[in-house]
C-alpha cells in the first residue's frame, strides 16, 4: 500500500490544506479503487499520539462529507479518515451508502481496517483511541462494526442511525459493554 501520495500535513495551517481525498486501491477491495478522505489536525505534532476518528457518511453522500463535519467541531487534537460507502446508487453519480447485508458489513470492516492502517502509517495514532462514528446508515454500520470487533475500538457513535436488528448485532454483548 503506497501511502507516499499522502500530503505531509506537518506544515499545514488551513483547513483546505489539512483535508485530502485519496483514491487508493485498498487491499481488501479486489482491485477496485476506493477513495478515502483524510484530515490531520492543525499544528500536527509527530511525537503526540492522536486519537483516530473514522467517519462513515450517511446515505446519499460520500467520503467528502468529512469536509463538512470536521469544521463543526475542533480542528485540533485528532486525525480523521472517511471511507466511501459500500453501496453505489445506480441512478445518481457520486452517491453512496452503507447496506446492512453480510457482504456489505464484511466490506465495511475491511475498508475501515485499511483506513486505520493508512492512518497509522502516515500519522502517530494512539492504538487504544480509535473511534468509529457515523451518520444515518453510516451510524448503523458504525454500531455493527464496533459491536462485531469491540476490542479494536475505544468507542462507537451513531448519529441518527437506526439500531441494527438483523444478523445478530449483539452476539458480543459482554465485550461491547467494555467500550
Amino acid at each position: 500500500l503506497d501511502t507516499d501520495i499522502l500530503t505531509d500535513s506537518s506544515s499545514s495551517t488551513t483547513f483546505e490544506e489539512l483535508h485530502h481525498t485519496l483514491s487508493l486501491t485498498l487491499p481488501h477491495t479486489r482491485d477496485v479503487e476506493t477513495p478515502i478522505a483524510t484530515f490531520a489536525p492543525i499544528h500536527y505534532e509527530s511525537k503526540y499520539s492522536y486519537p483516530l476518528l473514522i467517519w462513515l457518511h450517511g446515505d446519499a453522500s460520500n467520503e467528502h462529507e468529512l469536509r463538512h463535519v470536521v469544521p463543526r467541531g475542533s480542528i485540533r487534537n485528532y486525525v480523521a479518515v472517511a471511507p466511501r460507502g459500500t453501496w453505489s446508487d445506480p441512478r445518481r453519480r457520486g452517491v453512496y451508502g452503507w447496506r446492512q447485508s453480510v457482504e456489505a458489513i464484511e466490506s465495511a470492516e475491511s475498508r475501515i481496517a485499511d483506513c486505520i492502517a493508512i492512518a497509522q502509517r502516515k500519522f502517530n495514532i494512539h492504538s487504544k483511541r480509535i473511534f468509529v462514528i457515523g451518520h444515518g446508515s453510516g451510524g448503523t454500520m458504525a454500531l455493527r462494526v464496533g459491536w462485531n470487533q469491540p476490542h479494536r475500538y475505544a468507542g462507537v457513535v451513531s448519529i441518527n442511525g437506526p439500531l441494527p436488528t438483523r444478523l445478530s448485532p449483539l452476539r458480543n454483548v459482554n465485550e461491547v459493554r467494555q467500550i
Side-chain angles (χ1 to χ4, degrees), residues 78-132:
Y78 66 92
V79 171
V81 295
R84 180 173 282 177
T86 56
W87 176 81
S88 173
D89 187 335
R91 297 167 295 167
R92 297 174 15 201
R93 183 179 173 169
V95 173
Y96 301 87
W98 304 92
R99 293 295 174 253
Q100 304 299 314
S101 68
V102 172
E103 297 81 18
I105 295 165
E106 290 173 359
S107 180
E109 289 174 341
S110 293
R111 288 179 187 204
I112 290 168
D114 291 338
C115 285
I116 292 169
I118 289 167
Q120 288 175 327
R121 284 188 183 120
K122 179 63 181 167
F123 304 105
N124 187 359
I125 301 297
H126 193 298
S127 63
K128 301 282 188 209
R129 295 171 65 198
I130 298 174
F131 300 86
V132 184

Side-chain angles (χ1 to χ4, degrees), residues 18 35 51 54 67 70-71 78 90 102 114 133 137 147-148 163 174:
L18 295 173
I54 302 161
R67 178 182 293 251
V70 168
Y78 66 92
V102 172
D114 291 338
I133 305 167
S137 66
W147 292 350
N148 283 350
L163 286 172
N174 291 328

Side-chain angles (χ1 to χ4, degrees), residues 9 14-15 18-20 37-42 52 66 70-71 74-82 123:
S9 62
T14 68
F15 178 74
L18 295 173
H19 184 304
H20 308 287
T38 63
F39 166 80
I42 192 166
L52 176 63
L66 184 70
V70 168
S74 173
I75 58 171
R76 299 179 185 273
N77 300 325
Y78 66 92
V79 171
V81 295
F123 304 105

